[in-house]
Amino acid sequence: MANAPARDPAHADTSRKPSWLRAKLPSGSGYNAVRKLVDGHHLHSVCQSAQCPNLGECWTRGTATVMILGNICTRSCNFCAIATGRPTELDLGEPARVADAVAKMGLRHCVITSVARDELLDGGASVWAATIRAIRHANPKTAIEVLVPDFKGKMEHVDIVLEARPDIFNHNLETVERLQKPVRVQARYDRSRSVLRHAKSRGLTTKTGIMLGLGEEPGEIEQTLRDIVSDGTDIVTIGQYLQPTPQHWPVKRWVPPAEFEYWKKFGLSIGLGVVESGPLVRSSYHADEQSEKYTGADHLNTENNLTSEKTRPAS
């Protein structure tokens, strides 16, 4: 691969978002239907909690990423918009409600994530497993992707999730090794990699994601992608970091679309199966399309129950 594109000093001015980061405002029947369904089932959506810039696009398509185990995280990562504190709920009826919501949406591909629940004996792994099984029972034509915390590296807890056999196992590295401590605080680069390797050793399709614009250098991005390949990870997402509040880690620069394209080509050239790379890419962005490569089209729903439209053109 050629050297990464030269960095334009103008992109270091982070006082104003560039044009390529302007997402459309959410609207439309699909968006309204998903919002009503999420609210009516008393579910938490990471699309809202994490201030995802793709909320409008994804909800208009009738898809959403559901966040289980509440909306208060026991960790205090410096990049994340989700509230930190002492969780007050452990809702054992949640798996059934999530499965019912997925059925009503008619999802091709369901993404489930959660806050970190370090105060629980198993980190919430048993609720994870119950949710996967409930979705599978009610929605056999829906592919299931899980975006999990690291469970403090306790593989016996990771195994509880793996034994429920999600279609894709996702755990994000978030950033390069040097920036782990200041950005992720209670997480570790080597621990996250070990979780991904463990899932791969159990035969799962694995996925991870990183953000750019946190202060990383080109050589560090390259090394991170090489580490991901060496761990056997199949899918990678690469997106622009957006600062949730003035109290969070500052954006160091705006990464132009051409650089994201460069890293996509580089990732594919060194052996990654799928690389989603762009300013607005997030962990679950176009996840249904990613999963088709590994799950197969026959496993996926084609009808969007909320908008009465097909989710993909007939082949």
Side-chain angles (χ1 to χ4, degrees):
M1 292 291 292
N3 292 332
R7 296 186 171 185
D8 185 344
H11 297 146
D13 177 9
T14 60
S15 60
R16 188 175 181 182
K17 286 182 183 179
S19 59
W20 61 77
L21 282 172
R22 294 171 190 163
K24 294 180 180 179
L25 291 173
S27 63
S29 61
Y31 164 79
N32 292 327
V34 173
R35 178 158 195 162
K36 182 178 179 181
L37 188 62
V38 168
D39 291 345
H41 281 66
H42 305 290
L43 303 176
H44 299 293
S45 167
V46 77
C47 315
Q48 296 167 304
S49 298
Q51 301 177 12
C52 180
N54 302 310
L55 184 150
E57 177 185 350
C58 294
W59 282 26
T60 298
R61 287 168 49 179
T63 64
T65 299
V66 177
M67 185 168 67
I68 62 174
L69 291 165
N71 64 348
I72 299 177
C73 188
T74 55
R75 299 190 184 182
S76 53
C77 295
N78 284 326
F79 70 90
C80 185
I82 294 173
T84 300
R86 183 181 294 276
T88 58
E89 61 181 295
L90 183 59
D91 184 354
L92 298 181
E94 188 174 52
R97 291 202 313 278
V98 171
D100 185 57
V102 170
K104 286 184 167 65
M105 283 189 271
L107 299 184
R108 288 164 49 82
H109 182 104
C110 174
V111 183
I112 305 298
T113 189
S114 82
V115 294
R117 293 295 299 264
D118 293 333
E119 89 287 4
L120 299 175
L121 290 177
D122 66 354
S126 57
V127 176
W128 268 104
T131 302
I132 294 166
R133 292 189 175 103
I135 294 170
R136 184 79 73 208
H137 176 75
N139 307 274
K141 295 285 285 182
T142 297
I144 302 170
E145 176 177 331
V146 297
L147 173 55
V148 301
D150 62 16
F151 296 102
K152 291 186 174 181
K154 296 179 179 178
M155 297 309 166
E156 65 271 26
H157 298 161
V158 176
D159 280 336
I160 293 172
V161 179
L162 298 179
E163 287 164 6
R165 304 306 295 179
D167 293 286
I168 294 179
F169 181 93
N170 186 353
H171 173 64
N172 284 337
L173 292 177
E174 306 293 5
T175 187
V176 300
E177 186 170 14
R178 176 177 58 86
L179 294 174
Q180 291 286 314
K181 185 64 175 177
V183 172
R184 298 178 77 199
V185 186
Q186 292 122 304
R188 295 206 317 263
Y189 188 73
D190 58 338
R191 188 163 71 192
S192 288
R193 289 185 62 193
S194 70
V195 168
L196 288 162
R197 287 195 299 269
H198 184 74
K200 192 63 185 177
S201 74
R202 296 293 192 270
L204 273 288
T205 297
T206 53
K207 176 177 174 179
T208 193
I210 61 172
M211 301 172 289
L212 303 186
L214 290 157
E216 66 290 327
E217 296 296 329
E220 293 176 311
I221 303 170
E222 178 178 332
Q223 185 59 54
T224 300
L225 292 175
R226 290 189 184 280
D227 288 345
I228 291 168
V229 170
S230 71
D231 293 337
T233 303
D234 303 289
I235 304 167
V236 172
T237 58
I238 309 173
Q240 169 73 53
Y241 168 63
L242 299 175
Q243 185 179 7
T245 74
Q247 288 70 47
H248 285 81
W249 186 267
V251 176
K252 302 298 185 180
R253 70 185 183 102
W254 302 121
V255 181
E259 187 172 336
F260 281 104
E261 183 61 26
Y262 168 85
W263 291 118
K264 177 175 182 173
K265 291 178 180 177
F266 176 77
L268 293 173
S269 76
I270 61 173
L272 290 166
V274 174
V275 180
E276 288 279 358
S277 182
L280 293 177
V281 167
R282 294 297 181 268
S283 294
S284 57
Y285 186 62
H286 291 179
D288 55 333
E289 296 174 9
Q290 298 164 23
S291 71
E292 189 167 334
K293 177 180 175 71
Y294 297 95
T295 307
D298 290 343
H299 180 58
L300 304 176
N301 288 329
T302 58
E303 297 292 337
N304 180 335
N305 291 344
L306 298 180
T307 60
S308 300
E309 297 173 356
K310 290 195 177 287
T311 54
R312 285 176 62 87
S315 57

